[in-house]
PDB file of all heavy atoms in Angstrom:
ATOM      1  N   MET S   1      43.805  -0.860  64.971  1.00  0.00           N
ATOM      2  CA  MET S   1      44.433  -1.853  65.769  1.00  0.00           C
ATOM      3  C   MET S   1      45.899  -1.497  65.964  1.00  0.00           C
ATOM      4  O   MET S   1      46.583  -1.131  65.029  1.00  0.00           O
ATOM      5  CB  MET S   1      44.348  -3.195  65.054  1.00  0.00           C
ATOM      6  CG  MET S   1      43.772  -4.262  65.870  1.00  0.00           C
ATOM      7  SD  MET S   1      43.733  -5.750  64.873  1.00  0.00           S
ATOM      8  CE  MET S   1      42.785  -6.647  65.977  1.00  0.00           C
ATOM      9  N   SER S   2      46.357  -1.670  67.140  1.00  0.00           N
ATOM     10  CA  SER S   2      47.741  -1.326  67.418  1.00  0.00           C
ATOM     11  C   SER S   2      48.635  -2.520  67.101  1.00  0.00           C
ATOM     12  O   SER S   2      48.176  -3.654  66.936  1.00  0.00           O
ATOM     13  CB  SER S   2      47.899  -0.916  68.883  1.00  0.00           C
ATOM     14  OG  SER S   2      47.717  -2.037  69.698  1.00  0.00           O
ATOM     15  N   VAL S   3      49.907  -2.263  67.078  1.00  0.00           N
ATOM     16  CA  VAL S   3      50.894  -3.279  66.753  1.00  0.00           C
ATOM     17  C   VAL S   3      50.931  -4.354  67.841  1.00  0.00           C
ATOM     18  O   VAL S   3      51.058  -5.545  67.554  1.00  0.00           O
ATOM     19  CB  VAL S   3      52.284  -2.627  66.576  1.00  0.00           C
ATOM     20  CG1 VAL S   3      53.366  -3.668  66.369  1.00  0.00           C
ATOM     21  CG2 VAL S   3      52.269  -1.663  65.417  1.00  0.00           C
ATOM     22  N   THR S   4      50.796  -3.939  69.090  1.00  0.00           N
ATOM     23  CA  THR S   4      50.845  -4.916  70.180  1.00  0.00           C
ATOM     24  C   THR S   4      49.636  -5.836  70.155  1.00  0.00           C
ATOM     25  O   THR S   4      49.757  -7.016  70.449  1.00  0.00           O
ATOM     26  CB  THR S   4      50.923  -4.204  71.550  1.00  0.00           C
ATOM     27  OG1 THR S   4      49.829  -3.326  71.666  1.00  0.00           O
ATOM     28  CG2 THR S   4      52.228  -3.484  71.700  1.00  0.00           C
ATOM     29  N   SER S   5      48.468  -5.322  69.799  1.00  0.00           N
ATOM     30  CA  SER S   5      47.287  -6.188  69.754  1.00  0.00           C
ATOM     31  C   SER S   5      47.382  -7.184  68.601  1.00  0.00           C
ATOM     32  O   SER S   5      46.919  -8.312  68.710  1.00  0.00           O
ATOM     33  CB  SER S   5      46.010  -5.359  69.662  1.00  0.00           C
ATOM     34  OG  SER S   5      45.985  -4.633  68.455  1.00  0.00           O
ATOM     35  N   VAL S   6      47.992  -6.800  67.472  1.00  0.00           N
ATOM     36  CA  VAL S   6      48.188  -7.717  66.348  1.00  0.00           C
ATOM     37  C   VAL S   6      49.180  -8.806  66.750  1.00  0.00           C
ATOM     38  O   VAL S   6      48.976  -9.983  66.452  1.00  0.00           O
ATOM     39  CB  VAL S   6      48.683  -6.946  65.106  1.00  0.00           C
ATOM     40  CG1 VAL S   6      49.113  -7.898  63.997  1.00  0.00           C
ATOM     41  CG2 VAL S   6      47.612  -6.010  64.601  1.00  0.00           C
ATOM     42  N   LYS S   7      50.253  -8.434  67.463  1.00  0.00           N
ATOM     43  CA  LYS S   7      51.231  -9.417  67.914  1.00  0.00           C
ATOM     44  C   LYS S   7      50.594 -10.385  68.909  1.00  0.00           C
ATOM     45  O   LYS S   7      50.857 -11.583  68.875  1.00  0.00           O
ATOM     46  CB  LYS S   7      52.441  -8.725  68.557  1.00  0.00           C
ATOM     47  CG  LYS S   7      53.342  -8.067  67.558  1.00  0.00           C
ATOM     48  CD  LYS S   7      54.542  -7.461  68.261  1.00  0.00           C
ATOM     49  CE  LYS S   7      55.461  -6.763  67.256  1.00  0.00           C
ATOM     50  NZ  LYS S   7      56.626  -6.167  67.907  1.00  0.00           N
ATOM     51  N   GLN S   8      49.750  -9.865  69.796  1.00  0.00           N
ATOM     52  CA  GLN S   8      49.084 -10.716  70.772  1.00  0.00           C
ATOM     53  C   GLN S   8      48.121 -11.686  70.071  1.00  0.00           C
ATOM     54  O   GLN S   8      47.995 -12.846  70.458  1.00  0.00           O
ATOM     55  CB  GLN S   8      48.332  -9.877  71.806  1.00  0.00           C
ATOM     56  CG  GLN S   8      49.250  -9.185  72.792  1.00  0.00           C
ATOM     57  CD  GLN S   8      48.473  -8.285  73.745  1.00  0.00           C
ATOM     58  OE1 GLN S   8      47.295  -8.003  73.523  1.00  0.00           O
ATOM     59  NE2 GLN S   8      49.160  -7.819  74.789  1.00  0.00           N
TER      60      GLN S   8
END
Side-chain angles (χ1 to χ4, degrees):
M1 233 179 190
S2 69
V3 174
T4 56
S5 64
V6 171
K7 286 183 181 180
Q8 287 176 347

